[in-house]
Amino acid sequence: MSRLHLHAEHHTVERIGWLRAAVLGANDGIVSTGSLIVGIAASSAGKAEILLAGIAALVAGAMSMAAGEYVSVSSQADSEQANLARESGELRNQPEFEREELSGIYVARGLTPDLAHQVADQLMAKDAISTHARDELGISDLSTARPLQAAFTSAATFSVGAAAPLLVVALAQANSLIPLVIGVSLLCLALLGALGAKAGDAAPFRSVMRVTFWGALAMALTAGIGKLVGTAV
Protein backbone atom coordinates (compact mmCIF):
# COMPACT_ATOMS: atom_id res chain seq x y z
CA MET A 1 0.00 0.00 0.00
CA SER A 2 1.49 3.31 -1.07
CA ARG A 3 1.62 6.22 1.27
CA LEU A 4 0.94 9.84 0.42
CA HIS A 5 3.66 12.09 1.79
CA LEU A 6 2.53 15.65 2.34
CA HIS A 7 5.12 18.36 2.00
CA ALA A 8 5.11 22.12 2.04
CA GLU A 9 5.57 23.69 -1.39
CA HIS A 10 7.10 27.08 -1.93
CA HIS A 11 6.40 28.89 -5.19
CA THR A 12 8.14 31.97 -6.55
CA VAL A 13 4.80 33.73 -7.00
CA GLU A 14 4.73 34.09 -3.21
CA ARG A 15 7.60 36.56 -3.41
CA ILE A 16 6.74 38.30 -6.68
CA GLY A 17 5.76 41.59 -4.98
CA TRP A 18 8.97 42.30 -3.11
CA LEU A 19 11.11 40.60 -5.76
CA ARG A 20 9.86 42.97 -8.47
CA ALA A 21 10.46 46.03 -6.30
CA ALA A 22 13.90 44.81 -5.19
CA VAL A 23 15.17 44.02 -8.68
CA LEU A 24 13.78 47.25 -10.12
CA GLY A 25 15.27 49.33 -7.31
CA ALA A 26 18.76 47.82 -7.42
CA ASN A 27 18.86 47.90 -11.22
CA ASP A 28 17.88 51.57 -11.31
CA GLY A 29 20.41 52.39 -8.60
CA ILE A 30 23.30 50.85 -10.53
CA VAL A 31 22.31 52.10 -13.99
CA SER A 32 21.26 55.65 -13.14
CA THR A 33 24.06 56.40 -10.69
CA GLY A 34 26.74 54.61 -12.70
CA SER A 35 25.63 56.35 -15.90
CA LEU A 36 25.55 59.76 -14.21
CA ILE A 37 29.04 59.26 -12.81
CA VAL A 38 30.41 58.15 -16.18
CA GLY A 39 28.77 61.08 -17.95
CA ILE A 40 30.12 63.66 -15.51
CA ALA A 41 33.56 62.06 -15.49
CA ALA A 42 33.62 62.15 -19.30
CA SER A 43 33.04 65.91 -19.16
CA SER A 44 36.41 66.26 -17.36
CA ALA A 45 34.86 67.18 -14.01
CA GLY A 46 36.96 66.79 -10.85
CA LYS A 47 36.69 63.78 -8.57
CA ALA A 48 35.07 65.79 -5.77
CA GLU A 49 32.35 67.07 -8.10
CA ILE A 50 31.75 63.56 -9.44
CA LEU A 51 31.40 62.14 -5.92
CA LEU A 52 29.04 64.92 -4.87
CA ALA A 53 26.87 64.38 -7.94
CA GLY A 54 26.80 60.63 -7.28
CA ILE A 55 25.71 61.08 -3.65
CA ALA A 56 22.99 63.50 -4.74
CA ALA A 57 21.84 60.96 -7.34
CA LEU A 58 21.66 58.24 -4.69
CA VAL A 59 19.54 60.30 -2.30
CA ALA A 60 17.26 61.75 -4.97
CA GLY A 61 16.89 58.42 -6.74
CA ALA A 62 16.05 56.50 -3.58
CA MET A 63 13.37 59.01 -2.63
CA SER A 64 12.01 59.04 -6.17
CA MET A 65 11.81 55.24 -6.23
CA ALA A 66 10.08 55.15 -2.85
CA ALA A 67 7.56 57.82 -3.80
CA GLY A 68 6.90 56.32 -7.22
CA GLU A 69 6.37 52.80 -5.88
CA TYR A 70 4.18 54.06 -3.04
CA VAL A 71 1.94 56.11 -5.33
CA SER A 72 1.71 53.36 -7.95
CA VAL A 73 1.01 50.52 -5.55
CA SER A 74 -1.36 52.68 -3.49
CA SER A 75 -3.41 53.28 -6.63
CA GLN A 76 -3.55 49.52 -7.14
CA ALA A 77 -4.61 49.05 -3.50
CA ASP A 78 -7.33 51.70 -3.87
CA SER A 79 -8.64 49.94 -6.97
CA GLU A 80 -8.66 46.59 -5.16
CA GLN A 81 -10.56 48.06 -2.20
CA ALA A 82 -13.11 49.71 -4.48
CA ASN A 83 -13.71 46.44 -6.32
CA LEU A 84 -14.04 44.51 -3.06
CA ALA A 85 -16.53 47.04 -1.71
CA ARG A 86 -18.62 46.79 -4.87
CA GLU A 87 -18.47 43.00 -4.74
CA SER A 88 -19.61 43.01 -1.10
CA GLY A 89 -22.63 45.10 -2.05
CA GLU A 90 -23.51 42.75 -4.89
CA LEU A 91 -23.26 39.75 -2.57
CA ARG A 92 -25.69 41.39 -0.18
CA ASN A 93 -28.16 42.54 -2.82
CA GLN A 94 -27.85 39.84 -5.51
CA PRO A 95 -26.55 36.66 -3.87
CA GLU A 96 -28.17 34.34 -6.41
CA PHE A 97 -26.73 36.25 -9.35
CA GLU A 98 -23.28 36.14 -7.75
CA ARG A 99 -23.67 32.40 -7.18
CA GLU A 100 -24.46 31.87 -10.85
CA GLU A 101 -21.60 34.09 -11.87
CA LEU A 102 -19.18 32.08 -9.74
CA SER A 103 -20.57 28.80 -11.04
CA GLY A 104 -20.06 30.03 -14.59
CA ILE A 105 -16.41 30.69 -13.83
CA TYR A 106 -15.95 27.12 -12.60
CA VAL A 107 -17.78 25.71 -15.61
CA ALA A 108 -15.42 27.67 -17.87
CA ARG A 109 -12.52 26.06 -16.02
CA GLY A 110 -13.79 22.58 -16.77
CA LEU A 111 -16.29 21.58 -14.07
CA THR A 112 -19.73 20.23 -14.88
CA PRO A 113 -22.59 22.62 -14.10
CA ASP A 114 -23.82 20.51 -11.15
CA LEU A 115 -20.38 20.26 -9.60
CA ALA A 116 -19.71 23.95 -10.28
CA HIS A 117 -22.85 24.87 -8.35
CA GLN A 118 -21.84 22.62 -5.46
CA VAL A 119 -18.36 24.13 -5.31
CA ALA A 120 -19.76 27.66 -5.49
CA ASP A 121 -22.25 26.93 -2.70
CA GLN A 122 -19.65 25.43 -0.39
CA LEU A 123 -17.03 28.12 -0.95
CA MET A 124 -19.55 30.95 -0.59
CA ALA A 125 -20.87 29.42 2.62
CA LYS A 126 -17.38 29.49 4.09
CA ASP A 127 -16.17 32.92 2.88
CA ALA A 128 -18.10 34.48 0.04
CA ILE A 129 -16.12 37.70 -0.37
CA SER A 130 -12.73 35.97 -0.36
CA THR A 131 -13.97 33.44 -2.88
CA HIS A 132 -15.25 36.10 -5.28
CA ALA A 133 -12.15 38.23 -4.73
CA ARG A 134 -9.90 35.34 -5.70
CA ASP A 135 -11.87 33.66 -8.49
CA GLU A 136 -13.79 36.58 -9.99
CA LEU A 137 -11.53 39.58 -9.38
CA GLY A 138 -8.15 37.83 -9.29
CA ILE A 139 -7.25 39.32 -5.90
CA SER A 140 -5.51 37.06 -3.39
CA ASP A 141 -3.16 37.36 -0.42
CA LEU A 142 -0.23 36.68 -2.74
CA SER A 143 -1.04 39.51 -5.14
CA THR A 144 -2.52 42.08 -2.75
CA ALA A 145 -0.89 45.48 -3.15
CA ARG A 146 1.39 46.51 -0.26
CA PRO A 147 2.46 50.14 -0.83
CA LEU A 148 4.80 50.54 2.15
CA GLN A 149 6.58 47.27 1.46
CA ALA A 150 7.14 48.23 -2.17
CA ALA A 151 8.31 51.75 -1.26
CA PHE A 152 10.83 50.68 1.40
CA THR A 153 12.12 47.80 -0.71
CA SER A 154 12.67 50.00 -3.76
CA ALA A 155 14.39 52.77 -1.78
CA ALA A 156 16.67 50.37 0.08
CA THR A 157 17.68 48.35 -2.96
CA PHE A 158 18.21 51.49 -5.05
CA SER A 159 20.60 52.77 -2.38
CA VAL A 160 22.49 49.47 -2.32
CA GLY A 161 22.77 49.45 -6.10
CA ALA A 162 23.89 53.08 -6.28
CA ALA A 163 26.51 52.51 -3.58
CA ALA A 164 28.56 50.24 -5.87
CA PRO A 165 29.64 52.87 -8.46
CA LEU A 166 29.94 55.46 -5.69
CA LEU A 167 32.40 53.27 -3.83
CA VAL A 168 34.49 53.01 -6.98
CA VAL A 169 34.60 56.81 -7.26
CA ALA A 170 35.74 57.10 -3.66
CA LEU A 171 38.55 54.56 -4.07
CA ALA A 172 39.70 54.81 -7.69
CA GLN A 173 42.31 57.12 -9.19
CA ALA A 174 40.89 59.83 -11.44
CA ASN A 175 42.58 58.51 -14.60
CA SER A 176 41.02 55.02 -14.20
CA LEU A 177 37.66 56.10 -12.85
CA ILE A 178 35.54 55.69 -15.99
CA PRO A 179 36.56 52.14 -16.97
CA LEU A 180 36.37 50.97 -13.33
CA VAL A 181 32.89 52.43 -12.82
CA ILE A 182 31.69 50.84 -16.06
CA GLY A 183 33.26 47.48 -15.24
CA VAL A 184 31.99 47.33 -11.65
CA SER A 185 28.52 48.53 -12.67
CA LEU A 186 28.19 45.91 -15.40
CA LEU A 187 29.48 43.20 -13.06
CA CYS A 188 26.93 44.21 -10.42
CA LEU A 189 24.17 44.23 -13.04
CA ALA A 190 25.16 40.74 -14.17
CA LEU A 191 25.11 39.47 -10.58
CA LEU A 192 21.75 41.16 -10.01
CA GLY A 193 20.33 39.57 -13.14
CA ALA A 194 21.55 36.14 -12.06
CA LEU A 195 20.22 36.53 -8.51
CA GLY A 196 16.87 37.81 -9.75
CA ALA A 197 16.57 34.88 -12.13
CA LYS A 198 17.48 32.39 -9.39
CA ALA A 199 14.95 33.90 -6.98
CA GLY A 200 12.27 33.72 -9.65
CA ASP A 201 13.26 30.26 -10.95
CA ALA A 202 14.00 31.72 -14.40
CA ALA A 203 16.82 31.14 -16.86
CA PRO A 204 19.81 33.25 -15.70
CA PHE A 205 21.52 33.81 -19.07
CA ARG A 206 18.67 35.79 -20.59
CA SER A 207 18.26 37.89 -17.47
CA VAL A 208 21.99 38.65 -17.26
CA MET A 209 22.21 39.62 -20.93
CA ARG A 210 19.13 41.82 -20.67
CA VAL A 211 20.29 43.92 -17.71
CA THR A 212 23.91 44.24 -18.84
CA PHE A 213 22.92 45.29 -22.37
CA TRP A 214 20.67 48.12 -21.21
CA GLY A 215 23.14 49.16 -18.54
CA ALA A 216 25.99 49.32 -21.05
CA LEU A 217 23.83 51.29 -23.48
CA ALA A 218 22.84 53.82 -20.81
CA MET A 219 26.46 54.38 -19.74
CA ALA A 220 27.65 54.67 -23.35
CA LEU A 221 25.03 57.31 -24.12
CA THR A 222 25.74 59.39 -21.01
CA ALA A 223 29.49 59.12 -21.58
CA GLY A 224 29.00 60.42 -25.12
CA ILE A 225 26.85 63.31 -23.94
CA GLY A 226 29.33 64.14 -21.16
CA LYS A 227 32.20 64.15 -23.64
CA LEU A 228 30.33 66.46 -26.02
CA VAL A 229 29.32 68.87 -23.25
CA GLY A 230 32.79 68.87 -21.76
CA THR A 231 34.37 69.60 -25.12
CA ALA A 232 31.88 72.36 -25.91
CA VAL A 233 32.38 74.04 -22.55
Side-chain angles (χ1 to χ4, degrees):
M1 179 179 175
S2 62
R3 293 183 177 180
L4 177 64
H5 296 281
L6 299 179
H7 64 281
E9 293 186 349
H10 301 283
H11 301 283
T12 56
V13 70
E14 296 173 1
R15 49 181 182 258
I16 193 65
W18 67 261
L19 179 61
R20 170 191 166 276
V23 171
L24 180 63
N27 185 82
D28 277 7
I30 297 168
V31 173
S32 62
T33 308
S35 297
L36 177 68
I37 289 171
V38 169
I40 294 177
S43 70
S44 302
K47 184 174 177 178
E49 289 80 6
I50 297 170
L51 187 60
L52 177 61
I55 293 172
L58 186 155
V59 175
M63 293 305 299
S64 176
M65 288 293 295
E69 282 290 327
Y70 185 82
V71 170
S72 174
V73 181
S74 292
S75 297
Q76 179 186 341
D78 291 343
S79 177
E80 290 177 356
Q81 292 301 316
N83 279 283
L84 288 173
R86 183 167 60 249
E87 194 66 27
S88 295
E90 292 173 351
L91 284 169
R92 285 193 305 269
N93 301 324
Q94 309 173 70
E96 187 57 32
F97 175 81
E98 290 299 308
R99 173 181 177 270
E100 291 300 322
E101 189 174 32
L102 193 61
S103 298
I105 292 172
Y106 297 146
V107 169
R109 292 179 182 175
L111 299 185
T112 63
D114 287 344
L115 182 57
H117 281 95
Q118 292 178 41
V119 172
D121 288 340
Q122 291 183 35
L123 290 178
M124 288 181 66
K126 181 180 180 181
D127 190 345
I129 186 61
S130 293
T131 299
H132 280 268
R134 180 183 62 250
D135 293 333
E136 182 182 345
L137 303 177
I139 300 173
S140 69
D141 291 337
L142 297 179
S143 62
T144 298
R146 296 177 175 86
L148 286 176
Q149 181 192 65
F152 284 126
T153 301
S154 294
T157 54
F158 182 97
S159 300
V160 171
L166 270 177
L167 186 61
V168 175
V169 175
L171 299 178
Q173 297 295 322
N175 58 357
S176 60
L177 194 150
I178 291 178
L180 284 176
V181 168
I182 292 174
V184 169
S185 297
L186 291 179
L187 177 61
C188 290
L189 285 171
L191 290 174
L192 176 65
L195 289 173
K198 182 176 176 58
D201 289 340
F205 179 77
R206 180 179 298 178
S207 178
V208 169
M209 293 302 296
R210 183 167 53 230
V211 296
T212 53
F213 169 78
W214 288 107
L217 180 61
M219 283 183 278
L221 290 174
T222 52
I225 293 172
K227 189 69 174 177
L228 287 173
V229 172
T231 302
V233 172

